[in-house]
Amino acid sequence: MPDTDLVIQCQQGERQALEALVKRYQKIVFAMLYQLAPDWHDIADLAQEVFIRVYRHISSLRNPKTFRAWLNQITINLFYDELRKRPRKIPTISLDRNMDDDDEQVKEFPDLSQGPDEIVLNQELAAFIRKAMDELPEQFRIVIVLRELQGLSYEEIAESLGCELGTVKSRIARARARLQIMLKNYVDKLPKTENGKVIGNLRSALSI
Amino acid sequence: MKIEQIENLSAYFDGEISKSAEVTRILDSSEDARRALSNFKVIAAFIKQDSEKHLEQIETTINGFWPVLEKEINHQEEKLNELLKASLGELPTDLAEADVWAGLNKRIEEEAVAPQKAKNCSIDVLKLDHKESSNQFVSLRNWESVLKNSFALPNKLKDLDIWESIGSKLNKEFHVEIFSENASAELSDKDKFYLGLSEYFDGEVSAFKAQTINNHLLVCASCRGHYLSMVKLKNVLKFAVQPESIPSQSDFWNDLQTNLFPEEKTTGDFRKVEGL
């Protein structure tokens, strides 16, 4: 059954329709919350809150066709609400900073001449990316999540955020540019050891 | 022949307009027009195929402005040679800044707007003006070998890859040009570039613009690099945010019912509630 029918039935009080909608979209909501805030551990609770808001306000949704964007909007607003509630961690190292001359940092890297280097490096990289995402201003982080991870079009993103298409375009481009600079700094400071192969692979995988 | 007539012929050749009475009339009455049309074919073939093969035909075609071009190139060559000697064979940094391209392009444009001189040449090839269309940029790259092979440039100069420095200068304008259409004038060139490429990457540009950018990416390693890094960034993001830590959602609906309707028993078979 199409979303629009489910939404209308839901607005008329059909709980079965609500159930169908929840089951259809819970995965997307979970994923989006996780992508926005990988380090939060109460995503299930937040997803509950999203659907509680859906239930409470669905009667005010005028155009059932816009359900997906509306749901995104609720999820993003909840994310913002939670951000404000939680004390923001003060980053210990600025990722924008060029750390070429920072010997301490380089020493902390594992010895890459032996052992399962790739696993270590991959885990480090993943952790780094999440940190980089975390350091992006929220408005940039949201558009990158919606675009790259949720695969929404610019128009859908504009609808979800309630902003202009031009704003979406420029935020996406700027978010990308920032992430690329962060990644470049990260790759640049990877140790250049004799065991260049692993690092070389990673370098070329990123080659930013 | 007037420029507009040549342009009409060119458009007819590209299949953009049908054979109008005007086109027929020009072709019937003018030897120049017939020659121009056949030149288009030569040039199209040249662009499609390996440049060496058609070099001779092209040289004949562009005879009209060749001496001018040659003179200009020779002049620039002298300048470059002086610079070279001055720096013991090493490429001086200001060579990249040498205005070879500007001088060359100016001459070519002067030729192109002089109708009597344009009679033997295709307007498309003469107007190497990168602002016109990306196709001309592609043909410009094809010209690199024509020029290099046609003038007996000293080996030293050949190795220098003059076109790389000319190209980079041209490219700089060209990047901004094709990527920044409709972008706010307040943005820096770099921002415009990222904005346009990012839009293209996301498939948010018109088919026409996408084709223009495609063509450009084929010939421009620098832009291709930026594009690839966007692909990589996307992959890296997906890799970093893998959903393995997403909690199981099997009880989600039951939990939600408990949250929404705490007064009920959530047996799951109670389908409709008054007031929902």
Side-chain angles (χ1 to χ4, degrees), chain A:
Chain A
M1 191 184 287
D3 284 358
T4 45
D5 292 356
L6 285 179
V7 170
I8 291 166
Q9 286 181 21
C10 209
Q11 288 174 330
Q12 290 162 351
E14 288 281 347
R15 196 188 293 186
Q16 216 172 352
L18 178 68
E19 181 177 355
L21 269 183
V22 169
K23 288 187 170 163
R24 189 173 290 180
Y25 282 103
Q26 64 185 45
K27 211 174 154 186
I28 289 174
V29 170
F30 266 80
M32 197 189 293
L33 286 168
Y34 173 69
Q35 288 155 355
L36 287 168
D39 297 330
W40 292 357
H41 300 292
D42 50 352
I43 282 173
D45 295 339
L46 298 179
Q48 288 280 329
E49 179 60 27
V50 167
F51 284 103
I52 290 172
R53 290 186 188 184
V54 167
Y55 168 70
R56 288 199 183 131
H57 302 290
I58 197 157
S59 54
S60 64
L61 177 62
R62 290 217 184 104
N63 182 359
K65 278 183 190 160
T66 60
F67 177 75
R68 174 83 196 269
W70 183 70
L71 178 65
N72 290 342
Q73 231 167 10
I74 290 177
T75 310
I76 291 161
N77 286 342
L78 182 78
F79 166 70
Y80 271 127
D81 292 348
E82 287 299 315
L83 263 189
R84 277 183 218 110
K85 277 188 216 159
R86 294 166 203 235
R88 184 146 177 86
K89 284 171 284 176
I90 298 157
T92 46
I93 305 159
S94 167
L95 296 168
D96 279 316
R97 213 171 100 212
N98 193 327
M99 287 180 275
D100 274 351
D101 51 357
D102 199 336
D103 289 342
E104 288 306 307
Q105 280 302 313
V106 177
K107 277 178 197 158
E108 277 172 25
F109 272 84
D111 179 8
L112 296 166
S113 56
Q114 50 194 312
D117 305 335
E118 233 161 301
I119 296 169
V120 173
L121 273 176
N122 284 346
Q123 284 170 351
E124 283 208 11
L125 175 65
F128 173 83
I129 305 289
R130 288 197 291 270
K131 193 165 179 323
M133 287 286 275
D134 194 47
E135 287 207 356
L136 275 188
E138 288 86 38
Q139 61 203 38
F140 289 174
R141 196 189 329 171
I142 288 168
V143 292
I144 277 290
V145 165
L146 294 182
R147 174 63 230 169
E148 298 290 44
L149 301 171
Q150 294 282 318
L152 300 190
S153 72
Y154 285 10
E155 202 177 333
E156 287 168 326
I157 296 172
E159 273 175 25
S160 301
L161 296 178
C163 65
E164 297 289 321
L165 207 60
T167 312
V168 172
K169 280 181 201 171
S170 105
R171 279 186 194 168
I172 289 177
R174 284 158 74 189
R176 278 203 176 108
R178 280 195 189 215
L179 283 172
Q180 278 168 351
I181 290 169
M182 290 178 183
L183 277 173
K184 188 180 180 303
N185 286 344
Y186 178 78
V187 174
D188 284 351
K189 78 178 169 63
L190 284 175
K192 290 161 191 163
T193 64
E194 285 165 72
N195 183 16
K197 204 183 167 194
V198 170
I199 301 170
N201 284 343
L202 185 66
R203 226 181 262 285
S204 77
L206 295 169
S207 79
I208 308 215

Side-chain angles (χ1 to χ4, degrees), chain B residues 88-243:
Chain B
L88 300 167
E90 205 184 328
L91 180 67
T93 46
D94 54 351
L95 182 59
E97 303 295 323
D99 227 359
V100 181
W101 171 250
L104 194 59
N105 202 26
K106 189 163 172 284
R107 286 308 182 108
I108 294 168
E109 274 174 5
E110 278 169 11
E111 289 294 309
V113 294
Q116 71 276 20
K117 285 187 183 170
K119 64 181 179 182
N120 286 329
C121 334
S122 158
I123 197 86
D124 282 339
V125 172
L126 275 175
K127 273 164 65 183
L128 294 182
D129 184 348
H130 57 272
K131 285 172 189 165
E132 289 295 315
S133 84
S134 65
N135 289 334
Q136 278 155 20
F137 185 75
V138 176
S139 66
L140 175 72
R141 296 297 295 188
N142 286 316
W143 273 72
E144 180 174 345
S145 58
V146 178
L147 288 166
K148 277 191 165 179
N149 290 314
S150 306
F151 300 109
L153 295 180
N155 283 337
K156 243 186 193 176
L157 265 179
K158 272 190 183 169
D159 295 341
L160 270 181
D161 200 355
I162 310 169
W163 282 90
E164 201 48 47
S165 46
I166 295 171
S168 73
K169 193 172 172 180
L170 174 68
N171 265 342
K172 203 186 154 212
E173 296 162 28
F174 191 75
H175 299 317
V176 178
E177 188 78 32
I178 63 166
F179 288 114
S180 68
E181 196 188 334
N182 305 328
S184 159
E186 291 154 28
L187 293 175
S188 73
D189 283 354
K190 202 177 160 195
D191 286 345
K192 282 183 193 167
F193 169 72
Y194 273 111
L195 193 64
L197 189 62
S198 170
E199 254 184 291
Y200 167 79
F201 177 75
D202 289 328
E204 297 275 350
V205 296
S206 68
F208 176 76
K209 193 171 177 189
Q211 187 58 47
T212 309
I213 296 178
N214 279 343
N215 288 345
H216 178 65
L217 290 179
L218 284 175
V219 296
C220 177
S222 154
C223 285
R224 215 159 46 230
H226 284 296
Y227 179 80
L228 286 178
S229 74
M230 285 188 182
V231 177
K232 283 165 184 167
L233 179 64
K234 188 190 189 105
N235 294 338
V236 161
L237 283 176
K238 283 193 171 158
F239 155 78
V241 195
Q242 279 159 3

